[in-house]
Amino acid sequence: MQEWANQLCENRQFGSKMTDSKYFTTTKKGEIFELKAELNSDKKEKKKEAVKKVIASMTVGKDVSALFPDVVNCMQTDNLELKKLVYLYLMNYAKSQPDMAIMAVNTFVKDCEDPNPLIRALAVRTMGCIRVDKITEYLCEPLRKCLKDEDPYVRKTAAVCVAKLHDINAQLVEDQGFLDTLKDLISDSNPMVVANAVAALSEIAESHPNSNLLDLNPQSINKLLTALNECTEWGQIFILDCLANYTPRDDRESQSICERVTPRLSHANSAVVLSAVKVLMKFMEMLPKDLDYYGTLLKKLAPPLVTLLSAEPELQYVALRNINLIVQKRPEILKHEMKVFFVKYNDPIYVKLEKLDIMIRLASQANIAQVLAELKEYATEVDVDFVRKAVRAIGRCAIKVEQSAERCVSTLLDLIQTKVNYVVQEAIVVIKDIFRKYPNKYESVIATLCENLDSLDEPEARAAMIWIVGEYAERIDNADELLESFLEGFHDESTQVQLQLLTAIVKLFLKKPTETQELVQQVLSLATQDSDNPDLRDRGYIYWRLLSTDPVAAKEVVLAEKPLISEETDLIEPTLLEELICHIGTLASVYHKPPSAFVEGSRGVQHKRIPIRSGSGESSESQDTGGAPGATEAPAAVIPSQGDLLGDLLNLDLTPPTSTAGAPPGPPMPMGGMDLLGGGLDSLLGGDIGGSPSMGSGFGAPAAVMPSSLNAPVGGGLGDLFDLGGGVGMPMGTFVPPKTLWLPAMKGKGLEIMGTFARRAGVIQMEMTLTNKAMSVMTDFAIQFNRNSFGLAPAGPLQVPTPLSPNQTIDVSLPLNNGGPVMKMEPLNNLQVAVKNNIDVFYFSCQYPISMLFVEDGKMDRQVFLATWKDIPNENEAQFQINDCHLNSDAASNKLQGSNVFTIAKRTVEGQDMLYQSMKLTNGICVLTELRVQTGSPTYTVSLKCRAAEVSQCVFQCYEAALKN
Amino acid sequence: MIGGLFIYNHKGEVLISRVYRDDIGYVQWEGSIRSSSSYLSPPSPPRRNAVDAFRVNVIHARQQVRSPVTNIARTSFFHVKRSNIWLAAVTKQNVNAAMVFEFLYKMCDVMSAYFGKISEENIKNNFVLIYELLDEILDFGYPQNSETGALKTFITQQGIKGQTKEEQSQITSQVTGQIGWRREGIKYRRNELFLDVLESVNLLMSPQGQVLSAHVSGRVVMKSYLSGMPECKFGMNDKIVIDKAGKGGTTDEAVKSGKQSIAIDDCTFHQCVRLSKFDSERSISFIPPDGEYELMRYRTTKDIILPFRVIPLVREVGRTKLEVKVVIKSNFKPSLLAQKIEVRIPTPLNTSGVQVICMKGKAKYKASENAIVWKIKRMAGMKESQISAEIELLPTNDKKKWARPPISMNFEVPFAPSGLKVRYLKVFESKLNYSDHDVIKWVRYIGRSGIYETRC
């Protein structure tokens, strides 16, 4: 032996050629035969050389099982090194040669009796690794002896051997009573024996979910906690992992265990720290939150978690995955530690990605500025995945911290300007989410997004862009062209894009029916006839049927108000989170999956749960605070994925469905090729403008809601909403409210707009005063209205004598007509206006007095008035009071006449003047009122009846404004 | 627990393969089962599949490794890399992942302690030893005592034939005992100990000079050559300890020393330190291992002395030229000298030429590293030095802007940037006749740069 060692040393001096590495050299043919001869050599040295060669061959994957008998023959030796090599061989090949493995049994049994404890342990350790049934029978007796060996080294090895044997033959272990012996070892005087016994028992218990094998009770826990202070780092991990499975009886026991576990947080071994964190996270749940100790414990947890981040990168990764869970469960622990998660330039990519994730979770109003600055920095890095995630993170910050939304959007726009393809695409995807969180706030960026349409080549980004175009079709002039451009390669698109395109075009059609029929027809047939994707086909059919049978319902469905997305995204579902907290430090916590998702067989099937606090003694009243883990956290939904059918169908406009839906006038649509959409379509398009009573025929369902057999001058029901046939009466000055500030210079980049509405000579005028408060001249003015309740639209272009130089003020008057698209607004008389100039586009909204819409021929025949009054159901009646009005009834009548409110009759009953008045809106809606004026009293009462009850409030406002002016 | 442990060379050839559990043998995975090592004969045992799965999916993967944990066909592979050697632990169970990585690092430490650098040659030369070690430190996948000091007493590659019974039982009690890191009966003629406070100071600074994050991670490394089983007590200027002492003692002293005390965010200790005692009294007491070991690690974030300040100025002159000016200022006592100063200024990928002017030290453009490397051998405190460079760029069509990696710095200073001071290290050995005064003690402070970066 000594000789050989010396020789080896010498060889090392000569150089590597003569050392063990020679065994790895490629061998030639007939090698097995040669080895056989060497193994049977009489010379010890030659034998050992040969065994080494065999092991080397085994290592590189060569099959040397043919040498089994020859190698086993070398086992009988007092050379420990040789013995170990032979054992290694045996462990590898015994299973494939069970019969011959028996040959080794005698030696094992003999070795288990050896005076040297190291050899006894070696024998019992190796025997357990030979997974041959016949051998295990012989193993029992030596194992029993070794479990009670006087030497702790042998006992700790025997403890693990029980677990090995159990893995081969569980029944045998139980029958032989090894489990009880193992339990006894938990009380062993040697800490390492305790630790190995705990490890073995824990493993065996895992495959017997319901056995009370570990039988943890306060006494055994106490023993474990004592051993915890004394055993090796690995032993501490076994014990802590075992402790984590225990459920303390009450909060006091829980606290005392926590107190004894906390010192482990200072251990140099990260695994010890993480296992201690697991125990603490779990047992904390049982502590009353008002306890001082609870707060102390929370504070103690943060520093060790931060320290884990200075470990080697692989451990950092494990730590970060766990911190991700901890932050979701108890955000308060690390809320002040944002900076430590800042990404370092040389961090491995997996560490970078995880840090980013945690940064978003910790983002709050207090630190958002710092976080955003970092994220912006990251967005210029090299790694594509990382950059994408950083961009996405900016969007998530916007959604999470409302105050930062504006800054996030502008950061995203900056990034879009870089024109780096994947950055642009990622930014568009997140901007879509921002739109969903803050509707009607950041749509001004749509133009910028549209510029990048051509560069989008990823399905998610394309789908997001299509969603935006569809969602805001009314604000994008060429929405139809944009969507059409996608339609060309419809069949080459991914399903996600196809579905989104289908929905977007249907939305567009519902918003701008006139120009987009062909498009919708095309997409419906592509989706239903040319596609084999059942999702797409089904969705196509749903839309098609909706549109053809009940367009109003279609609007309700497709343009329905969608729920806002919630703040927190990508959260782990609470029950899973709870289970994962119980698995801190393990693979499950790295994968963020329950063990059953990646472990086969019976192991890991048990779902671990955090114990629920069952209060004890005086603190029981605060039980509810600690109970139901996860319930304290607000349940937060996850952004629905693109493929969510229901989400997409409903995913739409904010405008509530409305019965005043209508369309601009125009010649009846050509129906050729539209038969599939049937009669419903033309009603949606307001096809029959003339107001003939027959037009109600195509209505179906809506007609039932609003009877069309009205006695009004124009065809009833919805039909009158579509009607524009109001003739022009005599010119008369109507009430003009004073100009108000619509667009402050602050928001208009120097452009200030004051304005009002007037009805002059039967034409509605929008009168504006534009002031240039900027330093540069303004040119190229243009105006556009959003769809509104009465289809108001500019009758011509905005005539601004340009350029408008700095500090110049001009008055412009813009004639309006009712030819624009209709959409019910809230309030009804709200008008959203976009004004463009050479600097930018500005959006503002204003309210017009509804009296602008009262037409000159609104005077009703007495009989008709009477009949109509009776005809309108009483639910539609509204009553208002006007205070502080000192006019007599005649003066009031005259004043109102100026606003096209016509008095039809007047009655005086008991000193009360009753004026019966009528007015008609541009779209044919008639409003009937009764105005009661008590002589001498400043209070008027207005009773108002109208088929479209929504207008009542606006009409009342007009009354008040007109009478008080 | 760990089902198997494999060591591969950079080509993916297996150098060591030790299987602890049969369950890992049957890994099915997609892709061809074509082994790269030509000398493998076809009929190999089924567990080769796990070995091959890792090679195909991780070592030979086209992409950069995206995670140190890989799951292939419900089998998890943990890996660490040391130079071009891959160590992989394999399991099919829900193991303690942190423990597996800690074990792999420990395994590397043990191997280095036995045969030096972990290289293909050293592993091949010592494969019998490695198998013997693996047999000892991992049983059925459960890590066992892995302290090199203890292991070296009985895994020697010399056999243990000559040992007496007493020696044997001494070995086993040490391996399993409470003080597994030290053996009895150590004797030195001269009792001596060396204490090194090694700190690495980490900084991330914005171009405007704002500290984005800064921390010191420090280590107290000890070399002890002491006889017997000495009990040691270590004291430093920890704010908590000093404040506590100040309350009870004279206020004068507390104020005086309080000024120099430092706030330690967190610290971790070698397993020899009695953690419960630290938790309750914040005193650090232990029986030290023999020879060199790391007593503690700590981290501080407050009142850090940043030894250097880097002031960058990058100007883009047109599309084909960059002007860079970097000033470094040393911020410590003028009597002290910083050494091994190196400033690394990244340059764009399309750099065609660089002209550098520096007053002090030597600067060179290293095209292969895409950086200007500026080296200064020595620099005293409260000084400043400057470098300016003109970088010529090749015109490119690449739309993507240059990412401007941060300027990084390396240095070594003879003080602890955290302000940590060793107050005492007392040695008590009651059984032997030497006292604390007889022990020769050496203390040294070294501050090094960790990740010391300034964005530009």
Side-chain angles (χ1 to χ4, degrees):
Chain A
M1 175 65 223
Q2 200 61 42
E3 244 178 67
W4 189 84
N6 290 341
Q7 188 194 336
L8 217 120
C9 292
E10 267 170 40
N11 285 342
R12 278 191 192 137
Q13 279 160 12
F14 291 142
S16 60
K17 270 183 191 166
M18 292 298 288
T19 59
D20 287 2
S21 62
K22 66 178 179 278
Y23 303 115
F24 282 86
T25 47
T26 324
T27 46
K28 54 258 167 214
K29 268 187 191 169
E31 179 207 18
I32 299 277
F33 184 77
E34 262 179 44
L35 279 173
K36 211 180 180 84
E38 285 174 37
L39 284 170
N40 292 315
S41 154
D42 293 334
K43 285 183 189 162
K44 269 189 188 170
E45 275 321 306
K46 206 150 197 178
K47 249 187 191 173
K48 195 154 103 185
E49 293 288 290
V51 177
K52 278 191 178 183
K53 277 186 206 164
V54 172
I55 300 290
S57 303
M58 198 174 80
T59 297
V60 298
K62 246 178 282 186
D63 185 12
V64 283
S65 59
L67 297 168
F68 199 92
D70 311 283
V71 176
V72 171
N73 274 338
C74 304
M75 195 172 162
Q76 286 274 19
T77 170
D78 49 2
N79 182 325
L80 198 65
E81 194 191 15
L82 180 58
K83 198 177 239 58
K84 281 183 179 173
L85 288 173
V86 175
Y87 281 178
L88 195 63
Y89 180 91
L90 266 174
M91 285 186 271
N92 249 10
Y93 287 110
K95 210 167 181 187
S96 54
Q97 315 257 336
D99 294 332
M100 283 199 260
I102 296 289
M103 290 159 51
V105 165
N106 260 337
T107 323
F108 280 128
V109 175
K110 215 176 109 206
D111 280 358
C112 285
E113 307 272 341
D114 197 280
N116 187 338
L118 293 173
I119 289 182
R120 293 203 294 276
L122 178 65
V124 78
R125 185 164 67 210
T126 313
M127 257 181 115
C129 295
I130 296 175
R131 303 174 56 89
V132 175
D133 271 342
K134 283 179 196 157
I135 289 200
T136 49
E137 285 167 32
Y138 295 100
L139 177 62
C140 290
E141 274 325 297
L143 178 58
R144 198 185 317 280
K145 267 186 209 155
C146 289
L147 279 168
K148 304 222 158 113
D149 200 286
E150 52 168 21
D151 195 293
Y153 183 78
V154 181
R155 289 203 300 277
K156 72 108 186 164
T157 311
V160 176
C161 190
V162 176
K164 293 180 190 168
L165 192 57
H166 185 271
D167 197 38
I168 306 165
N169 191 340
Q171 195 57 46
L172 185 70
V173 171
E174 282 168 45
D175 294 347
Q176 296 279 333
F178 286 140
L179 293 181
D180 293 325
T181 323
L182 203 52
K183 278 189 207 167
D184 293 343
L185 288 183
I186 288 196
S187 314
D188 198 282
S189 59
N190 185 294
M192 196 164 179
V193 178
V194 178
N196 276 5
V198 166
L201 275 173
S202 301
E203 182 169 340
I204 295 169
E206 247 181 72
S207 48
H208 293 277
N210 298 318
S211 73
N212 193 21
L213 203 58
L214 268 164
D215 187 30
L216 294 172
N217 53 48
Q219 289 74 43
S220 58
I221 290 293
N222 199 30
K223 279 176 201 154
L224 291 184
L225 286 168
T226 310
L228 186 62
N229 288 326
E230 294 166 347
C231 62
T232 64
E233 45 194 330
W234 314 115
Q236 296 184 21
I237 298 168
F238 306 153
I239 291 177
L240 287 168
D241 284 352
C242 173
L243 269 179
N245 292 324
Y246 177 62
T247 309
R249 287 165 311 168
D250 53 39
D251 52 350
R252 274 194 224 130
E253 190 186 6
S254 184
Q255 180 176 345
S256 85
I257 296 175
C258 287
E259 278 166 354
R260 292 177 73 176
V261 167
T262 33
R264 298 298 120 197
L265 294 175
S266 303
H267 203 286
N269 187 313
S270 308
V272 175
V273 175
L274 267 178
S275 291
V277 169
K278 165 163 60 190
V279 174
L280 297 174
M281 282 293 286
K282 225 182 135 178
F283 288 12
M284 241 168 116
E285 209 64 49
M286 293 189 64
L287 298 176
K289 289 208 166 54
D290 48 359
L291 198 70
D292 283 348
Y293 182 70
Y294 180 84
T296 319
L297 199 54
L298 274 183
K299 268 186 222 129
K300 277 194 174 172
L301 277 171
L305 287 173
V306 174
T307 298
L308 291 177
L309 298 184
S310 34
E312 287 85 346
E314 291 87 2
L315 266 174
Q316 273 187 56
Y317 174 72
V318 174
L320 285 164
R321 292 293 284 176
N322 279 288
I323 289 171
N324 200 326
L325 299 172
I326 292 167
V327 164
Q328 288 183 57
K329 181 75 191 159
R330 295 195 175 276
E332 64 270 30
I333 295 178
L334 288 166
K335 66 180 173 203
H336 298 303
E337 303 287 351
M338 172 61 89
K339 277 187 175 182
V340 299
F341 297 102
F342 283 0
V343 169
K344 293 182 187 132
Y345 190 74
N346 289 321
D347 280 337
I349 182 67
Y350 48 81
V351 169
K352 284 185 178 177
L353 292 172
E354 291 307 315
K355 281 187 174 174
L356 197 51
D357 229 29
I358 293 167
M359 278 174 68
I360 303 161
R361 295 207 191 286
L362 290 177
S364 67
Q365 206 185 330
N367 56 25
I368 193 74
Q370 264 187 326
V371 173
L372 264 184
E374 283 294 306
L375 292 177
K376 207 174 167 181
E377 196 74 36
Y378 305 159
T380 59
E381 279 229 25
V382 190
D383 190 280
V384 176
D385 281 350
F386 181 61
V387 171
R388 282 172 180 277
K389 199 160 181 174
V391 175
R392 214 164 262 234
I394 297 174
R396 278 170 69 179
C397 284
I399 289 165
K400 200 174 170 196
V401 185
E402 183 160 4
Q403 292 81 355
S404 75
E406 196 151 344
R407 237 178 313 168
C408 295
V409 171
S410 75
T411 308
L412 287 170
L413 284 180
D414 287 351
L415 290 173
I416 288 177
Q417 297 306 340
T418 64
K419 302 279 176 202
V420 178
N421 191 279
Y422 53 87
V423 173
V424 173
Q425 310 212 37
E426 211 61 44
I428 285 178
V429 172
V430 294
I431 286 179
K432 179 208 70 184
D433 290 340
I434 295 176
F435 282 171
R436 289 209 46 194
K437 173 74 181 173
Y438 309 109
N440 297 319
K441 221 167 160 193
Y442 300 110
E443 282 75 11
S444 53
V445 308
I446 290 176
T448 320
L449 304 187
C450 289
E451 284 165 22
N452 293 287
L453 208 63
D454 298 334
S455 62
L456 308 181
D457 51 14
E458 292 160 17
E460 205 183 349
R462 285 172 84 84
M465 194 62 218
I466 291 169
W467 181 87
I468 292 170
V469 173
E471 181 70 13
Y472 298 102
E474 69 275 15
R475 303 191 195 179
I476 304 169
D477 289 335
N478 57 344
D480 49 343
E481 283 169 36
L482 295 178
L483 291 176
E484 200 170 358
S485 68
F486 282 103
L487 208 53
E488 280 159 18
F490 188 77
H491 289 299
D492 302 328
E493 300 283 4
S494 73
T495 312
Q496 188 186 14
V497 178
Q498 290 176 334
L499 287 169
Q500 204 51 259
L501 192 54
L502 173 60
T503 304
I505 290 179
V506 171
K507 279 193 226 172
L508 171 70
F509 171 69
L510 288 169
K511 291 176 179 187
K512 292 184 177 174
T514 39
E515 313 111 60
T516 57
Q517 282 178 71
E518 239 171 274
L519 200 58
V520 79
Q521 190 70 21
Q522 214 180 330
V523 79
L524 286 176
S525 79
L526 280 172
T528 53
Q529 288 163 9
D530 304 341
S531 168
D532 345 321
N533 183 319
D535 284 346
L536 185 63
R537 236 172 23 220
D538 286 355
R539 194 186 287 191
Y541 279 126
I542 290 174
Y543 284 143
W544 205 322
R545 289 199 185 121
L546 266 175
L547 289 175
S548 56
T549 54
D550 191 346
V552 177
K555 262 198 156 169
E556 282 183 38
V557 172
V558 180
L559 303 184
E561 188 166 353
K562 59 190 182 293
L564 295 185
I565 51 174
S566 62
E567 287 186 3
E568 278 293 341
T569 53
D570 300 347
L571 282 181
I572 293 174
E573 190 249 324
T575 47
L576 175 61
L577 179 62
E578 200 184 305
E579 189 179 352
L580 293 180
I581 289 286
C582 300
H583 287 293
I584 283 178
T586 69
L587 263 181
S589 72
V590 173
Y591 294 145
H592 288 185
K593 283 179 188 159
S596 53
F598 59 92
V599 173
E600 281 163 3
S602 59
R603 287 180 214 279
V605 175
Q606 306 155 268
H607 290 278
K608 294 190 178 176
R609 292 187 63 84
I610 293 180
I612 293 176
R613 200 178 93 71
S614 57
S616 77
E618 67 288 341
S619 56
S620 60
E621 67 277 8
S622 59
Q623 189 175 343
D624 52 339
T625 54
T632 45
E633 262 69 51
V638 170
I639 297 179
S641 66
Q642 289 287 337
D644 184 341
L645 176 72
L646 190 63
D648 270 349
L649 281 171
L650 296 173
N651 173 355
L652 303 164
D653 211 74
L654 295 163
T655 338
T658 166
S659 57
T660 58
M669 285 299 157
M671 290 296 148
M674 294 289 288
D675 46 342
L676 266 163
L677 289 174
L681 186 65
D682 53 341
S683 64
L684 186 74
L685 293 169
D688 204 343
I689 300 300
S692 95
S694 65
M695 69 153 291
S697 62
F699 265 89
V705 176
M706 204 165 270
S708 57
S709 58
L710 279 174
N711 213 1
V714 192
L718 279 175
D720 55 7
L721 284 170
F722 301 151
D723 180 84
L724 290 158
V728 178
M730 52 217 155
M732 223 183 260
T734 55
F735 158 63
V736 178
K739 280 180 179 166
T740 51
L741 183 63
W742 285 348
L743 179 72
M746 287 264 290
K747 283 193 171 171
K749 298 194 178 166
L751 176 66
E752 185 187 271
I753 302 178
M754 311 259 293
T756 186
F757 292 90
R759 187 175 182 94
R760 299 186 201 284
V763 179
I764 307 165
Q765 300 278 355
M766 184 167 166
E767 296 182 345
M768 289 180 287
T769 305
L770 308 182
T771 309
N772 182 354
K773 293 195 170 174
M775 304 299 286
S776 58
V777 292
M778 294 179 179
T779 54
D780 304 331
F781 282 92
I783 195 162
Q784 214 174 19
F785 292 176
N786 193 2
R787 297 186 305 168
N788 53 71
S789 314
F790 295 94
L792 284 180
L798 183 65
Q799 302 287 345
V800 182
T802 51
L804 186 62
S805 34
N807 279 324
Q808 195 188 351
T809 298
I810 48 156
D811 287 313
V812 283
S813 185
L814 178 74
L816 309 180
N817 65 23
N818 298 76
V822 174
M823 181 174 78
K824 193 186 166 190
M825 300 298 290
E826 192 57 46
L828 207 61
N829 57 343
N830 192 25
L831 180 65
Q832 294 179 333
V833 184
V835 171
K836 192 198 99 168
N837 64 11
N838 58 326
I839 295 165
D840 207 339
V841 183
F842 312 106
Y843 301 88
F844 60 86
S845 65
C846 52
Q847 293 180 8
Y848 48 89
I850 207 162
S851 56
M852 297 306 125
L853 303 169
F854 296 168
V855 294
E856 278 72 14
D857 64 346
K859 184 158 184 169
M860 248 184 205
D861 183 73
R862 271 182 172 220
Q863 295 306 314
V864 175
F865 183 92
L866 222 62
T868 313
W869 186 271
K870 282 183 187 155
D871 204 20
I872 298 176
N874 280 342
E875 310 87 81
N876 279 17
E877 184 171 342
Q879 209 168 59
F880 304 100
Q881 299 228 310
I882 300 170
N883 296 320
D884 293 314
C885 193
H886 300 285
L887 298 166
N888 66 27
S889 57
D890 285 338
S893 174
N894 278 341
K895 260 206 156 160
L896 289 167
Q897 176 104 30
S899 299
N900 290 344
V901 178
F902 303 100
T903 306
I904 296 161
K906 179 182 168 183
R907 225 154 38 116
T908 307
V909 182
E910 296 166 3
Q912 213 178 28
D913 287 339
M914 326 264 265
L915 298 176
Y916 295 93
Q917 301 173 315
S918 77
M919 61 223 83
K920 195 168 88 179
L921 267 58
T922 44
N923 57 1
I925 292 179
C926 291
V927 183
L928 287 66
T929 61
E930 180 200 71
L931 184 69
R932 271 181 282 175
V933 184
Q934 180 81 45
T935 332
S937 156
T939 305
Y940 288 8
T941 308
V942 185
S943 294
L944 194 147
K945 267 194 167 185
C946 177
R947 290 194 189 278
E950 301 95 312
V951 301
S952 309
Q953 185 63 38
C954 296
V955 173
F956 162 68
Q957 282 165 5
C958 290
Y959 262 87
E960 189 163 49
L963 286 172
K964 286 190 176 171
N965 256 282
Chain B
M1 281 304 114
I2 298 172
L5 206 134
F6 306 124
I7 302 179
Y8 300 83
N9 65 8
H10 65 288
K11 285 186 249 169
E13 290 165 358
V14 183
L15 305 178
I16 297 288
S17 122
R18 177 73 163 89
V19 175
Y20 294 95
R21 290 177 183 236
D22 269 7
D23 59 352
I24 64 152
Y26 311 97
V27 182
Q28 303 291 323
W29 90 101
E30 293 125 44
S32 65
I33 310 181
R34 206 180 60 78
S35 159
S36 73
S37 15
S38 53
Y39 52 79
L40 289 186
S41 56
S44 50
R47 69 173 59 101
R48 299 298 300 173
N49 286 343
V51 176
D52 293 339
F54 182 77
R55 170 176 39 243
V56 172
N57 288 283
V58 180
I59 301 181
H60 290 169
R62 269 185 222 119
Q63 260 205 326
Q64 190 195 349
V65 181
R66 306 301 276 195
S67 160
V69 185
T70 322
N71 193 309
I72 306 163
R74 292 168 90 84
T75 305
S76 300
F77 296 81
F78 299 76
H79 74 265
V80 300
K81 237 185 131 180
R82 288 288 181 272
S83 62
N84 53 16
I85 297 295
W86 299 73
L87 278 89
V90 188
T91 183
K92 280 215 139 182
Q93 298 173 25
N94 182 31
V95 299
N96 188 320
M99 185 189 79
V100 176
F101 280 123
E102 283 284 6
F103 176 79
L104 288 174
Y105 301 143
K106 192 60 150 207
M107 174 79 202
C108 293
D109 290 349
V110 170
M111 289 198 291
S112 309
Y114 267 95
F115 52 75
K117 192 172 167 282
I118 295 173
S119 64
E120 181 171 353
E121 198 185 336
N122 278 346
I123 288 173
K124 282 184 171 174
N125 281 340
N126 294 285
F127 83 96
V128 176
L129 168 71
I130 293 171
Y131 277 123
E132 204 175 330
L133 284 169
L134 280 175
D135 200 40
E136 188 57 45
I137 59 178
L138 209 54
D139 191 6
F140 201 41
Y142 289 104
Q144 304 293 305
N145 194 329
S146 47
E147 283 301 307
T148 325
L151 288 172
K152 278 194 170 168
T153 59
F154 68 106
I155 295 182
T156 56
Q157 285 281 285
Q158 320 257 323
I160 46 172
K161 212 164 90 186
Q163 285 159 344
T164 63
K165 214 171 168 197
E166 289 77 56
E167 279 170 332
Q168 286 162 5
S169 71
Q170 199 191 324
I171 289 167
T172 57
S173 76
Q174 197 205 331
V175 172
T176 61
Q178 294 181 21
I179 308 164
W181 53 87
R182 189 180 179 93
R183 62 188 170 88
E184 301 246 14
I186 297 171
K187 272 208 180 83
Y188 286 101
R189 205 176 298 158
R190 205 157 92 130
N191 288 301
E192 200 171 17
L193 60 86
F194 299 83
L195 208 58
D196 282 350
V197 176
L198 306 172
E199 294 197 340
S200 75
V201 51
N202 297 276
L203 170 75
L204 184 61
M205 197 178 252
S206 76
Q208 292 76 33
Q210 186 195 0
V211 176
L212 295 173
S213 73
H215 75 270
V216 167
S217 56
R219 303 186 297 144
V220 177
V221 175
M222 203 168 149
K223 265 182 237 163
S224 65
Y225 304 107
L226 302 170
S227 311
M229 291 297 249
E231 177 76 40
C232 297
K233 220 174 162 184
F234 175 67
M236 54 189 176
N237 57 341
D238 177 0
K239 197 164 186 294
I240 296 172
V241 176
I242 290 186
D243 288 358
K244 219 199 264 174
K247 266 178 211 160
T250 53
T251 39
D252 247 18
E253 200 186 2
V255 170
K256 216 176 96 198
S257 55
K259 262 185 192 164
Q260 295 153 354
S261 68
I262 60 161
I264 293 175
D265 286 35
D266 190 37
C267 45
T268 58
F269 295 98
H270 185 267
Q271 57 170 324
C272 67
V273 175
R274 296 188 184 89
L275 293 178
S276 42
K277 212 158 182 186
F278 177 74
D279 195 55
S280 56
E281 302 163 26
R282 223 176 157 85
S283 74
I284 303 164
S285 63
F286 54 96
I287 295 171
D290 195 40
E292 185 172 345
Y293 67 100
E294 188 180 287
L295 177 66
M296 74 176 281
R297 277 179 189 234
Y298 56 92
R299 182 168 49 83
T300 72
T301 48
K302 288 190 194 75
D303 304 323
I304 295 169
I305 307 156
L306 295 171
F308 284 95
R309 165 90 206 272
V310 177
I311 304 153
L313 198 77
V314 179
R315 213 159 62 90
E316 285 174 37
V317 188
R319 296 197 52 188
T320 56
K321 205 167 139 189
L322 272 180
E323 282 181 10
V324 182
K325 203 177 107 178
V326 177
V327 178
I328 59 167
K329 286 186 180 169
S330 57
N331 174 36
F332 44 87
K333 273 191 227 156
S335 58
L336 298 176
L337 272 180
Q339 293 186 72
K340 300 177 191 166
I341 301 147
E342 186 184 294
V343 182
R344 185 169 284 263
I345 305 160
T347 56
L349 295 172
N350 56 336
T351 302
S352 59
V354 176
Q355 272 123 40
V356 205
I357 310 162
C358 60
M359 303 304 188
K360 237 185 144 202
K362 280 179 188 164
K364 238 188 209 168
Y365 166 61
K366 295 198 172 164
S368 59
E369 296 165 40
N370 284 310
I372 300 168
V373 180
W374 177 25
K375 287 184 180 169
I376 305 172
K377 272 194 188 134
R378 249 172 247 107
M379 187 163 168
M382 308 313 271
K383 288 259 166 37
E384 81 172 59
S385 193
Q386 180 186 326
I387 185 172
S388 45
E390 272 187 24
I391 301 169
E392 304 279 344
L393 303 176
L394 293 169
T396 55
N397 308 330
D398 200 357
K399 269 192 193 157
K400 197 169 182 263
K401 264 178 67 185
W402 176 45
R404 283 204 186 183
I407 294 176
S408 59
M409 211 184 155
N410 289 314
F411 53 79
E412 199 179 293
V413 288
F415 60 90
S418 71
L420 182 131
K421 289 264 169 1
V422 176
R423 287 171 60 221
Y424 57 81
L425 199 145
K426 293 175 192 155
V427 182
F428 310 96
E429 170 54 273
S430 47
K431 286 182 197 148
L432 297 173
N433 57 348
Y434 72 93
S435 74
D436 185 38
H437 299 291
D438 305 327
V439 180
I440 305 157
K441 299 169 192 168
W442 307 84
V443 181
R444 181 164 67 155
Y445 298 91
I446 300 172
R448 290 199 181 97
S449 52
I451 294 163
Y452 204 84
E453 294 179 335
T454 307
R455 289 181 179 160
C456 59

